[in-house]
Amino acid sequence: MKVLIIGGTRFLGRHLAESFLRNNHEVTLFHRGKTAAPGLFQGVEEIIGDREQDLSPLEKRSWDAVIDTCGYFPKHVRKSAEALRENVSSYLFVSSVSVYEDQSVRYLTEEARTAVLKDPDTTEIGENYGALKAACEKEVQKVFGEQALIIRPGLIVGPHDYTDRFTYWPHRGAQGGEILVPEMKDPTIRFIDARDLADWIVRMAENQENGVYQAVGGSYNFNDFVQQCIANQNAAAIVSVPESFLVEEKVGEWVEMPLWISSEEYRGLDYADDTKAINKGLVFRSMEETIQDTVAWSRTRNLDLDDWKAGLHPDKEADLLQKWKQKVNKK
């Protein structure tokens, strides 16, 4: 196949490029050159450009499939789809499981109602993220119809995860010492290794699949996950604290304390149904392998403490541990 990846140098896009290449496909990357300088992949054609500004570099070219890894605004996705409609056989759009209107509902399937974007011209992602992704899906479907393939992942994790939302825990476990951990009322968590998602997307593209598929990932117990993160770390000790303590101390959910969500408003996403994708061959590697590979990659970054995008700062963690011990001793 001849494949065009919009993006392709950052996290999932990077793993997609690697997987397509491993499977002997011809890859072209269309990116801005900001995340990675040209030359990341040997022998891959790179077109430097910004789809928000100018899509002319893609004109008079043809590919079997385009993989859109970084569409956030419907007007930009619409322009990309329209520009490629006559030159590409299928359009695969990487969306999000966050598209649903009611994310508290458990066992969501692809047919659930999606959120409606109140302002189609908004430039703010934030709270509009799910609705924006849902609007982007519709633009792709309008242009490509049955030649559109929509993928709705959950939390994507693994090597090259620039968000640190997952990486914090394997990295923190490897550091040892006393580790502050939320005592979740519901410890169910979901995530998917970017490499598993990428390999499956490649197979879906090869088979010319269409439609909408959730790919939320394996279901895990948060406590088992943390235990695995400290495996073989004799100096590590978990200090579990109630969610009420974290709320009282104004610890931020999901980003400051990764994978922790106390509100029922979003709990349904950790129970979304992957059956449709699994029936199309989606498989998940072991949690242990993802943790080990993420730690190995994270060690190569040599980040300063203040450069992490997610997770408790060590100073705040130490302060919270001290407060919790004082609280326990007063009882």
Side-chain angles (χ1 to χ4, degrees), residues 58-117:
L58 304 182
E59 294 177 356
K60 299 180 181 178
R61 298 287 305 275
S62 62
W63 293 272
D64 297 300
V66 56
I67 319 295
D68 189 343
T69 66
C70 52
Y72 292 99
F73 299 106
K75 61 183 178 181
H76 298 152
V77 171
R78 180 174 61 251
K79 288 180 180 178
S80 300
E82 289 175 345
L84 293 165
R85 181 63 186 92
E86 302 303 321
N87 304 330
V88 176
S89 300
S90 64
Y91 197 114
L92 191 157
F93 180 72
V94 180
S95 184
S96 168
V97 75
S98 296
V99 296
Y100 298 109
E101 182 178 71
D102 187 350
Q103 299 176 17
S104 68
V105 176
R106 301 196 178 196
Y107 311 111
L108 287 162
T109 66
E110 291 83 356
E111 288 72 35
R113 186 190 299 274
T114 56
V116 176
L117 187 62

Side-chain angles (χ1 to χ4, degrees), residues 1 3 5 8-25 27 41 65 67-69 92 94 149 151-160 191-207 214-217 277 280-285 290:
M1 295 175 63
V3 179
I5 300 179
T9 61
R10 190 180 202 184
F11 198 27
L12 177 60
R14 181 173 183 151
H15 289 296
L16 277 165
E18 291 174 347
S19 186
F20 274 113
L21 291 169
R22 277 198 308 273
N23 286 277
N24 300 313
H25 299 298
V27 175
F41 300 106
I67 319 295
D68 189 343
T69 66
L92 191 157
V94 180
L149 175 59
I151 306 297
R152 296 173 179 167
L155 177 63
I156 307 174
V157 307
H160 302 292
F191 53 79
I192 185 167
D193 192 300
R195 296 166 294 181
D196 294 333
L197 180 58
D199 288 345
W200 177 68
I201 287 175
V202 170
R203 292 194 294 274
M204 294 289 280
E206 290 172 337
N207 294 333
Q214 291 181 159
V216 186
K280 288 290 186 178
L282 178 62
V283 294
F284 314 117
R285 70 191 64 206
T290 297

